[in-house]
Amino acid sequence: MDFPTIWFIIIGVLWTGYFVLEGFDFGVGMLLPVLGRGTDAADGEKRRRVLINTIGPVWDGNEVWVLTAGGATFAAFPHWYATMFSAFYLPLLLILVALIVRNLGFDYRGKRDDDRWRANWDKAIIVGSFVPALLWGVALTNLVRGLPIDANKEFTGNLFTLLNPVSLLGGIVTLGLFLTHGALFTALKTSGQIREDARGVATKVGVVTAVLAVALLLVLGTQHGGNAWSWLTTVVAAGSLLAALGANLRGREGWAFIGTFVTIAMAVATYFLLLFPNVMPSTLNDAWSLTVDNASSTTYTLKIMTVVALVFTPLVLLYQSWTYWVFRKRIGTQHIPAAAEPVAAGR
């Protein structure tokens, strides 16, 4: 196996790590208005704080995966990086703005004891989670379907080229997968009524998502060069999602969460298996497609990157695993203190 192929696999693994980890962050953020409803204003605020606290210690670490994936693409496949980031300029800009707004929501919603202030930042978290969850699916589906790339490795389409029915279906599927993943993570990390509500949401959203995901992967597999490996990962993805829904119905949130974890990982693997050996297929002329060979860096560069990856990747994985272990316990509304009484002037 040559170095370009190795780095194509590594980039696939990095995107897998991003989607399986940041995916439940997006899901929890989008579920704020659903699982954050309480019997009264005070109970609702406690529930929303529980939701945010489930991902509070880990969301920023999960987000680093996409930075690493982008950096690895830039270093290992500069032509792929240049063409992809110019083709997806507007969607990636929207994703970046959404992530910034979402992160501000996490940091600032508790800075002022004011219901309207918190409600506005909650909206920022919801929108900032929804936009990336949708657009990442649109972008990745467009990669597999192919784009109008000319002989100069330049994208010749426009925004409406990207918003085609199949790619929009891809966005809806990632949206559903992340919602299901986030609901199961909430059920795994919480106790009380919010846990039961999360299980109910996971079942409802998961059933619809399973149907749409199978339809999407079948379309991509039949129209874009499905092979034995991609069909295998498709079957495993579908089976894992069904197993996750079954485990959720039996109250086994841990196994259910592992199921959606595997589902997302296998879905991303299917995308990359359908893409290989291309990195950006051209719909104008197959000869103009970017491949792992004509889009990669020099062998020397890839060798250095491989050594660095072998040294530092295990350290990063160990640190992130330790973080999840430290914050492994369930939380509930009983752990959220009541809002402090306002202090009168002069006291």
Side-chain angles (χ1 to χ4, degrees), residues 138-202:
V138 171
L140 285 179
T141 305
N142 272 305
L143 278 182
V144 174
R145 293 186 71 252
L147 293 169
I149 308 296
D150 64 17
N152 297 318
K153 300 183 177 66
E154 294 182 359
F155 174 67
T156 60
N158 53 46
L159 177 62
F160 296 103
T161 307
L162 306 177
L163 300 179
N164 56 79
V166 175
S167 295
L168 287 173
L169 175 60
I172 294 171
V173 167
T174 56
L175 201 68
L177 285 175
F178 292 165
L179 280 168
T180 307
H181 200 39
L184 291 175
F185 180 77
T186 301
L188 179 65
K189 288 288 293 177
T190 59
S191 59
Q193 186 59 44
I194 193 170
R195 170 174 172 252
E196 298 304 318
D197 293 345
R199 289 178 56 202
V201 169

Side-chain angles (χ1 to χ4, degrees), residues 3 70 83 90 92 116 132-133 138 168 170 174 190 251 261 280 292 319:
F3 281 105
T83 304
L90 185 56
L92 290 176
R116 185 174 180 181
V138 171
L168 287 173
T174 56
T190 59
F261 189 104
M280 285 197 79
V292 292
Y319 173 75

Side-chain angles (χ1 to χ4, degrees), residues 3 25-27 54 63 95 99 130 132 141 159-160 224 249 265 293 301 308 311 329 345:
F3 281 105
D25 289 347
F26 290 146
T54 61
E63 206 167 78
I95 289 173
L99 291 176
F130 173 86
T141 305
L159 177 62
F160 296 103
H224 302 283
L249 289 175
D293 294 320
T301 300
V308 173
V311 172
K329 293 184 179 179

Side-chain angles (χ1 to χ4, degrees), residues 302-324:
L302 296 178
K303 284 182 178 179
I304 297 298
M305 291 175 59
T306 303
V307 173
V308 173
L310 289 173
V311 172
F312 289 101
T313 301
L315 297 177
V316 173
L317 291 175
L318 285 172
Y319 173 75
Q320 193 160 23
S321 300
W322 175 79
T323 303
Y324 277 90

Side-chain angles (χ1 to χ4, degrees), residues 3 88 127 129 142 157 179 219 235 266 319:
F3 281 105
F88 297 146
V127 174
S129 300
N142 272 305
L179 280 168
V219 168
V235 170
M266 290 297 100
Y319 173 75

Side-chain angles (χ1 to χ4, degrees), residues 242-293:
L242 293 176
L245 296 178
N248 181 50
L249 289 175
R250 295 191 299 273
R252 298 180 178 179
E253 298 92 349
W255 286 110
F257 180 73
I258 291 173
T260 52
F261 189 104
V262 173
T263 297
I264 295 172
M266 290 297 100
V268 176
T270 300
Y271 270 61
F272 275 81
L273 287 168
L274 290 171
L275 192 57
F276 186 81
N278 294 318
V279 291
M280 285 197 79
S282 173
T283 56
L284 301 179
N285 189 324
D286 286 341
W288 297 343
S289 297
L290 278 75
T291 68
V292 292
D293 294 320

